[in-house]
Amino acid sequence: MDRMEMEVQTRPPLTRGQLNQMRREDKVPAVLYGRGADNFPLVVDGRTLRQILTTGGGNVLLDLKVKSRGKKTRQETVMFRDIQRDILYQDRILHVDFIRISMTDKIEVAVHLNFIGEPAGVAEGGVLSLVSREVEVECLPGDIPEQFDVDISGLGIGDSITAESLVLEGDLELLTPPETTLAQVLAPMAEEELEPAVEEEEPEEGEEAAEEEAGEEAEEEAKEES
């Protein structure tokens, strides 16, 4: 996996109002931690952050250039640990956690699944269900795959593909249980299954008595009018 560089700036602890003002200026508050070293509150340029996530994805390796006032710029090798996004606007990032890593120590990461092909069962009327979008693996930071390609073109109706079918190259260990279903083709549902019959509800005793009483009153009124 490629490594990318990003400049960040240390920041003092801020109030909620100051953090919100920072976000309005397209600056993202962040924290750097891990490997027994001190935690550092940071501020990241929002535009740069979005570009890196678009280009490298959530598993990208980053060489942070950490700038502090009055101190020499230092470099930290990190990965994203957590990315908090706005509920309504997913492209608006509210906060980021960076974790320090060592290129010689294995880590656990989630790798995206890229499904390829049109299942044969879909052409026969089946319904494709993508059950899992990613799998967990353990590997060295430099060996993290960008994604796993999963060929689903051979799936017929009733067929499925599991995690054990993935081809892991290099020194990768699959942490997701091998029997985990990644994708399957379901049989089409019959119309009677899609539209269950609606049964007429019998009126309750109170409702039935009220209807009878209303009918009797209507008959009496008709007789008086005649």
Side-chain angles (χ1 to χ4, degrees), residues 140-158:
L140 292 173
D143 294 335
I144 300 174
E146 293 186 5
Q147 62 186 21
F148 287 122
D149 291 333
V150 183
D151 186 0
I152 56 176
S153 58
L155 296 182
I157 294 178

Side-chain angles (χ1 to χ4, degrees), residues 149-168:
D149 291 333
V150 183
D151 186 0
I152 56 176
S153 58
L155 296 182
I157 294 178
D159 292 341
S160 62
I161 190 167
T162 58
E164 62 186 348
S165 65
L166 295 175
V167 179
L168 305 184

